[in-house]
Amino acid sequence: MRGASQAKWVVAAVAVALAATACNNDGSSADGSSNGAVNAQGVFSYQSAEPQNPLQPANAMENQGGRIVKQLFMGLVDYDPASGALRNQVADKIETTDAKNYTVTLKSGWTFHDGTPVTAKSFVDSWNWSANTKNNQINSDWFSDIAGYDAVHPEKGDPTAEAMSGLKVVDDTHFTIELTAPVSYFQYKLGYSAFYPLPTGFFADPAGYGQKPVGNGPYKFVSWEHNKAITLAAYDKYAGSNKPKNGGVVFKNYTSGEAAYKDLTSDTLDVLDQVDPTDLPKYKDDLGNRAVDQAQGAIQNISFALYQGDWAGVDKAKVRQGLSMAIDRDTITKTVLNGSRQPADSWVAPGVMGYKAGACGDACKFDPAKAKELIQAGGGVPNNKITIIYNSDGGHKEWVDAVCNSIRQSTGVECLGDPKPDFKTSRDIIRKKQVPSMMRTGWVQDYPLNANFLRDVYGTGASANDAAYSSPEFDKFAQQADEATTVEKTAELYQQAEAVLAKDMPAIPLWYYKTNSGWSKNVQNVKFDSFGNPVYTDVEVKQK
């Protein structure tokens, strides 16, 4: 009954409230629906950017590639977009009595886009390949809970095994998972893209399949015009519960949010990712009830490059705290961001189980005098100057400049934005640990528990640990939390881990995201989930 008790908090924690606004003359209602005639084969477009990596399930940690991989593949479970509740997809059931040993039973009838069946071996082979250090998958550490992970992904040297001992194929529709220790929320992690299955053909040509992926999801791959667009088509033999109500999606690359918004208002782009800061003041007037303004399980941070020697040392935590206190979050979110963000007071987004208001303490409160005092006590900012790397194609310039102005005016520390032309370029620099001092590091939930905002970002060696932060104390609490017997206890122990971040300040929480978006007059029934993504399969293209 462990799964049943866990599902209750997911429903409560991730309920999505769509913005309710008055109807306008396109006939759409407040929930995005419409009574217009629908073209079931119609294709719609979505604002996107060039993925950082090939489209392999365990190689898509960033949003641009991740959102596409999630449409091409489907895992054992996913999350209901309306309630956030965990729901089975390829899995018929996932059973455990101790949160350490799991038996998975698959549904029959699932196929990959090449027509081959999805079997237990499809999952086990995928996980083993993705975990293996020689395959260089960015999300390989998601498998670290499974027994035998160390053999395929040693800290040093070559793997001593090709498969994790904790995975066993029983037959085509059954396999077992053994973890190294109990993880009360493991079933919820299984909804993440790293755990998707792969077809047999993938293993003969991983690079080729990364460019032309073959999945088992609601959409199949059509084309990838690099730096221009990725096109997907609905898969007519898709066996999941979320069958597409349209004929496909074109993910169009944009180098600026302003350009995307202009295309949206002229109906040459159908669904927007996020409204850029310049257009935030007017987008609700422009779009009427086609405008979206709702909560999202995401946070905007700026992180320190702790691998740079100048930022090392215990006293530098005071400097980092001081810089955080030099940022006037309230004014920036109200003015520059036009009320579209909520000032952050912790490293976890509200609505996520385990969110603790005020976890950041005084360090997230604007106090220029205290900021100066702490920076001086910690030995000062190296060279009295910081830079913040960010991608200029994501509408970040205005707030980065505002943050730097606040730091400069409050402390006298020189602060400059360091724009990179696109998301991929900035992520490559961050991934290679080449950031001089600071970087933009936003985070959107992978599953609605504080563990995802904490262990997966600040745990030693975690794939999303861009700051290279390492704290034995934080890791100790994280391990205790993972081994708890209930999800409630897990969340409570992760709050203790979060308290360590308040002392060390490896990243500065700025504000929580909202989904500020909209759609064109060409589409209807557009809804967004708590991850900030449109429910792609529900979008309906109007008959012309």
Side-chain angles (χ1 to χ4, degrees):
M1 299 301 292
R2 186 176 300 276
S5 65
Q6 288 174 333
K8 295 176 184 176
W9 66 258
V10 179
V11 174
V14 199
V16 177
L18 294 175
T21 53
C23 291
N24 74 355
N25 60 13
D26 74 349
S28 298
S29 65
D31 66 355
S33 62
S34 172
N35 56 8
V38 173
N39 176 9
Q41 303 305 313
V43 174
F44 72 96
S45 56
Y46 181 76
Q47 175 195 358
S48 193
E50 183 74 0
Q52 181 189 11
N53 296 312
L55 297 174
Q56 300 159 328
N59 215 14
M61 180 177 64
E62 38 75 35
N63 233 7
Q64 314 305 338
R67 61 168 57 114
I68 296 167
V69 164
K70 288 175 183 176
Q71 306 315 309
L72 290 168
F73 292 85
M74 180 54 71
L76 297 171
V77 299
D78 73 347
Y79 311 99
D80 184 277
S83 68
L86 192 72
R87 63 183 182 183
N88 286 346
Q89 287 284 13
V90 184
D92 182 48
K93 54 187 175 181
I94 303 172
E95 299 170 295
T96 183
T97 58
D98 59 3
K100 183 181 178 183
N101 295 279
Y102 294 81
T103 299
V104 179
T105 302
L106 304 184
K107 296 172 184 172
S108 299
W110 279 78
T111 60
F112 289 104
H113 302 151
D114 61 4
T116 58
V118 178
T119 66
K121 193 171 185 296
S122 307
F123 283 94
V124 171
D125 287 353
S126 172
W127 298 4
N128 280 323
W129 185 90
S130 299
N132 195 306
T133 187
K134 67 184 180 183
N135 296 321
N136 198 31
Q137 297 293 283
I138 199 169
N139 284 321
S140 56
D141 68 329
W142 277 77
F143 303 98
S144 60
D145 296 317
I146 299 174
Y149 173 78
D150 290 346
V152 300
H153 199 107
E155 289 189 15
K156 296 180 180 179
D158 294 329
T160 57
E162 291 296 315
M164 291 179 278
S165 59
L167 297 178
K168 304 290 184 186
V169 174
V170 178
D171 55 37
D172 280 352
T173 57
H174 294 85
F175 70 98
T176 60
I177 308 166
E178 179 189 354
L179 307 184
T180 55
V183 177
S184 65
Y185 57 96
F186 186 69
Q187 293 183 46
Y188 298 99
K189 297 180 72 171
L190 291 175
Y192 187 57
S193 57
F195 293 98
Y196 291 158
L198 287 167
T200 302
F202 171 90
F203 304 101
D205 185 15
Y209 272 66
Q211 296 299 314
K212 296 181 178 180
V214 174
N216 65 319
Y219 296 98
K220 60 185 179 181
F221 178 82
V222 175
S223 64
W224 185 352
E225 298 175 86
H226 284 282
N227 300 304
K228 291 183 179 180
I230 293 176
T231 301
L232 311 182
Y235 179 46
D236 58 359
K237 295 183 178 62
Y238 177 61
S241 59
N242 54 329
K243 296 182 187 300
K245 297 177 181 177
N246 53 68
V249 191
V250 178
F251 292 86
K252 294 175 66 175
N253 286 16
Y254 282 89
T255 56
S256 77
E258 291 87 350
Y261 184 79
K262 184 177 179 180
D263 278 2
L264 184 82
T265 55
S266 65
D267 295 319
T268 52
L269 172 70
D270 293 318
V271 184
L272 199 67
D273 180 21
Q274 283 276 71
V275 177
D276 63 282
T278 301
D279 293 304
L280 277 172
K282 64 175 184 175
Y283 87 104
K284 291 181 182 178
D285 290 334
D286 287 348
L287 302 178
N289 73 325
R290 290 182 287 114
V292 178
D293 180 4
Q294 70 180 56
Q296 183 185 136
I299 188 171
Q300 183 69 267
N301 304 314
I302 47 176
S303 297
F304 294 90
L306 300 180
Y307 47 83
Q308 300 291 4
D310 288 344
W311 287 104
V314 176
D315 286 345
K316 290 303 177 187
K318 295 178 182 177
V319 176
R320 297 192 291 270
Q321 290 170 344
L323 289 170
S324 179
M325 297 180 80
I327 300 169
D328 188 351
R329 295 165 177 78
D330 286 340
T331 298
I332 295 172
T333 53
K334 287 175 183 174
T335 57
V336 177
L337 295 169
N338 202 52
S340 65
R341 305 287 187 268
Q342 175 188 340
D345 59 0
S346 79
W347 286 265
V348 177
V352 171
M353 189 183 189
Y355 163 72
K356 184 176 182 179
C360 184
D362 289 342
C364 284
K365 297 175 182 177
F366 182 50
D367 188 339
K370 185 67 174 177
K372 285 182 182 178
E373 179 184 321
L374 283 169
I375 290 172
Q376 185 176 2
V381 170
N383 301 314
N384 202 45
K385 179 181 179 180
I386 56 174
T387 57
I388 302 174
I389 282 182
Y390 68 94
N391 54 303
S392 58
D393 62 347
H396 304 297
K397 181 182 188 303
E398 291 83 358
W399 70 255
V400 171
D401 288 347
V403 165
C404 274
N405 286 337
S406 187
I407 290 173
R408 190 183 304 112
Q409 293 169 12
S410 298
T411 66
V413 172
E414 180 60 25
C415 179
L416 296 170
D418 185 4
K420 302 305 173 187
D422 52 40
F423 182 80
K424 184 181 186 303
T425 302
S426 67
R427 283 305 308 169
D428 285 346
I429 292 169
I430 291 169
R431 187 70 185 164
K432 292 174 183 176
K433 298 291 189 286
Q434 295 174 346
V435 175
S437 56
M438 299 192 74
M439 69 206 95
R440 182 190 83 82
T441 50
W443 186 255
V444 181
Q445 66 182 19
D446 297 311
Y447 53 93
L449 179 66
N450 59 353
N452 182 231
F453 286 80
L454 299 173
R455 188 186 95 156
D456 295 330
V457 182
Y458 302 105
T460 299
S463 58
N465 190 344
D466 294 325
Y469 172 66
S470 181
S471 164
E473 185 181 13
F474 178 93
D475 292 341
K476 178 190 71 174
F477 284 126
Q479 182 176 350
Q480 291 173 356
D482 285 352
E483 294 176 358
T485 55
T486 67
V487 176
E488 291 77 12
K489 187 63 177 178
T490 291
E492 178 186 327
L493 287 168
Y494 266 111
Q495 290 176 345
Q496 296 182 41
E498 189 176 14
V500 179
L501 299 183
K503 292 190 300 181
D504 294 346
M505 195 62 63
I508 296 175
L510 293 177
W511 38 77
Y512 306 117
Y513 270 95
K514 288 172 144 185
T515 300
N516 300 104
S517 185
W519 62 92
S520 76
K521 295 176 182 177
N522 301 323
V523 293
Q524 60 188 28
N525 199 39
V526 182
K527 305 168 186 175
F528 283 75
D529 61 24
S530 63
F531 296 80
N533 296 315
V535 185
Y536 296 94
T537 53
D538 277 358
V539 175
E540 296 173 342
V541 179
K542 293 182 181 180
Q543 194 77 258
K544 292 184 179 179

